Amino acid sequence: MNNIIPQDSQGTPLPAAVFSGDFNAGKSLLINALLHQNSLFISREESMTPPVLVAKSDGGDVIYGARPRGEREAVALSREQFLSSRKVGGVPCESDALCVLAPEMPFRHFVLVDTPGASSQENRPAIPAAAPALDNALFVLVTTLEYWPARHTMSLIREYQMRFPGRFIVVANMADHINTNEIRRVRDKGRQRMERNGIAPAPPFFTLSARLELARRTGDDEYRRRIKADVRELCDAGFDAFRVALYEFEAKVASRAVDYDLETLLNSPLAEAVIMNQKGQKIC
Ligand SMILES: Nc1nc2c(ncn2[C@@H]2O[C@H](COP(=O)(O)OP(=O)(O)OP(=O)(O)O)[C@@H](O)[C@H]2O)c(=O)[nH]1
Ligand SMILES: [Mg+2]
């Protein structure tokens, strides 16, 4: 392409939407739902994957890549290698960060970043540390609707409010597990509850189901049929509103299109900041 603009080298942080929160909240499935395909590794257990950066590619095929531990040079991976790049049985992952260049990525002007959830085994924070390379980032805090409004959820949101005022949104995922009354109650009262808990102004808040959305986009009618129609409608509307919020973010950050490649992405200060966060190191 003729418009390669390594924005980072010009000192402008790459715009990104950083998905974080507790493990198993559905961060990776949420990104798969946005991509309309199963690209990222999903697991019922703590997935133990390194952070994954997802960007738009103009080519026909999905390209997977990794930054080997302690190195800066990016390497291309097969899909199988990509999906098995995680910590298994105490053996650390060989990569510090992974990336996916996907033609299906709906956003051209920013990167989606999937972060490993706060781990029960490692002392890894659920909250990214602020860093200049994240100055153009929107933070998507992924919680589950079942745990609304648990004290833990509220304190996470309060922490995001302090670190990233006006730059984060909250998702309450897995609404397909809940009945319509409960979804409506959380959807309609969520922001009020946050404000009553001193989180004011409350961040944008979306009740949705990543699983139902992926089923909607991949034509998995069997799963959709298992869920009551009124729950489905609420979940679909919640996801549509979430997608619009991401498009609004894109409209704000879109200045020049970046032509991403593995090197540009995995050597960017954005990747560096995300890796440092994952290692729990201080970044400045
Ligand atoms: N029913 C239902 N299950 C979901 C939904 N979203 C995620 N899941 C399931 O929850 C489990 C965890 O999903 P992941 O996307 O791997 O969660 P994660 O937040 O990326 O987890 P870590 O990478 O370990 O931090 C998987 O078994 C998913 O299928 C949802 O909306 N509804
Ligand atoms: Mg995950």
Side-chain angles (χ1 to χ4, degrees), residues 27-29 41-42 47 49 114-117:
K27 300 174 292 296
S28 306
L29 194 59
F41 178 78
I42 302 296
S47 68
T49 49
D114 186 21
T115 66

Side-chain angles (χ1 to χ4, degrees), residues 2-113:
N2 52 10
N3 63 336
I4 296 184
I5 303 168
Q7 283 198 359
D8 276 340
S9 68
Q10 298 177 358
T12 315
L14 284 175
V18 178
F19 288 59
S20 49
D22 293 329
F23 77 92
N24 258 0
K27 300 174 292 296
S28 306
L29 194 59
L30 208 49
I31 292 179
N32 283 349
L34 288 167
L35 298 177
H36 298 185
Q37 62 183 25
N38 264 313
S39 291
L40 306 188
F41 178 78
I42 302 296
S43 164
R44 274 182 207 285
E45 316 293 327
E46 278 178 55
S47 68
M48 304 287 189
T49 49
V52 187
L53 290 87
V54 182
K56 171 92 177 160
S57 81
D58 291 320
D61 295 324
V62 182
I63 297 168
Y64 299 97
R67 188 167 137 177
R69 274 211 297 158
E71 291 178 29
R72 290 195 71 92
E73 205 155 312
V75 295
L77 299 180
S78 68
R79 177 166 166 76
E80 290 65 35
Q81 288 169 324
F82 171 80
L83 288 176
S84 57
S85 295
R86 56 183 196 279
K87 182 176 174 180
V88 182
V91 180
C93 182
E94 287 173 1
S95 310
D96 276 338
L98 301 172
C99 84
V100 181
L101 295 172
E104 291 77 11
M105 161 72 168
F107 311 105
R108 175 168 290 280
H109 297 280
F110 67 90
V111 179
L112 296 171
V113 181

